[in-house]
């Protein structure tokens, strides 16, 4: 497995401090983000999943803890939209240039507006997909917010 991807290249060029971590990706896992957290020996709150969605039919990137579900109502509101829905996997792969299970918010073929779950910013470090299945980058979530020019919002469903 290569540890150099468009995602890691972008982080290096931006001067962001990060480390690369690999794990055995299980394509049959019920929830890929939770499988990654378990394989890395990290809490699910620190291992973030990257999702692609549509807000008012425009693509957006959503980064949330792997144990969270996204509220479509909150997601739409984060972008001043009326409605939100998850993007179909083939569309997500075409827009990002990454395979599902390896989608990173960094170095996407087409940069789209990005939002990070505000609770993730409470951690001193998080793991975010590094652009390949089984590859994660560990970094300060505030640096991820800056390099992505993302916004932070409450996105998780109320439990």
């Amino acid at each position: 497995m290569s540890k150099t991807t468009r995602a890691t290249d972008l982080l290096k060029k931006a001067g962001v401090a990060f480390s690369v971590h690999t794990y055995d990706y299980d394509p049959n896992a019920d929830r890929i983000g939770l499988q990654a957290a378990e394989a890395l020996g990290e809490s699910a709150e620190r291992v973030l999943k990257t999702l692609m969605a549509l807000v008012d039919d425009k693509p957006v990137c959503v980064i949330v803890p792997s144990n969270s579900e996204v509220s479509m109502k909150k997601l739409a509101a984060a972008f001043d939209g009326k409605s939100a829905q998850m993007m179909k996997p083939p569309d997500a792969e075409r827009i990002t240039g990454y395979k599902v299970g390896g989608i990173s918010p960094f170095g996407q073929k087409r940069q789209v507006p990005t939002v990070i779950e505000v609770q993730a910013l409470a951690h001193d470090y998080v793991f975010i997909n590094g652009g390949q299945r089984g590859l994660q980058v560990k970094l300060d979530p505030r640096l991820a917010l800056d390099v992505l020019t993302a916004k932070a919002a409450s996105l998780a469903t109320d439990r």
Side-chain angles (χ1 to χ4, degrees):
M1 167 187 305
S2 172
K3 293 185 179 182
T4 301
T5 63
R6 287 192 322 274
T8 59
D9 285 345
L10 180 134
L11 292 170
K12 283 178 195 159
K13 285 180 187 153
V16 173
F18 70 98
S19 58
V20 174
H21 302 263
T22 60
Y23 66 96
D24 289 328
Y25 172 82
D26 179 1
N28 300 315
D30 288 337
R31 297 180 69 187
I32 292 168
L34 292 178
Q35 187 260 326
E38 186 177 320
L40 291 165
E42 290 287 339
S43 72
E45 293 82 22
R46 284 190 188 270
V47 179
L48 309 183
K49 59 186 174 183
T50 305
L51 305 171
M52 299 303 292
L54 298 168
V55 172
D56 295 342
D57 295 320
K58 293 183 179 79
V60 298
C61 182
V62 185
I63 305 167
V64 295
S66 58
N67 63 342
S68 295
E69 295 295 324
V70 177
S71 161
M72 292 299 125
K73 186 175 181 180
K74 288 180 181 181
L75 176 58
F79 289 104
D80 299 320
K82 293 181 179 157
S83 67
Q85 64 189 39
M86 295 309 298
M87 192 179 288
K88 290 181 174 69
D91 295 335
E93 290 180 347
R94 183 176 38 78
I95 286 173
T96 65
Y98 294 119
K99 294 278 183 210
V100 168
I103 292 178
S104 177
F106 310 111
Q108 293 186 358
K109 277 194 342 191
R110 180 173 152 205
Q111 195 59 50
V112 299
T114 302
V115 63
I116 298 176
E117 168 58 52
V118 69
Q119 293 173 11
L121 301 178
H123 299 291
D124 55 342
Y125 69 88
V126 294
F127 289 82
I128 300 176
N129 194 289
Q132 191 172 302
R133 293 171 177 167
L135 184 72
Q136 297 279 319
V137 292
K138 178 182 176 182
L139 73 167
D140 181 322
R142 288 162 292 282
L143 294 176
L145 190 74
D146 290 344
V147 78
L148 293 167
T149 57
K151 59 172 73 178
S154 174
L155 302 167
T157 56
D158 298 320
R159 295 184 182 172

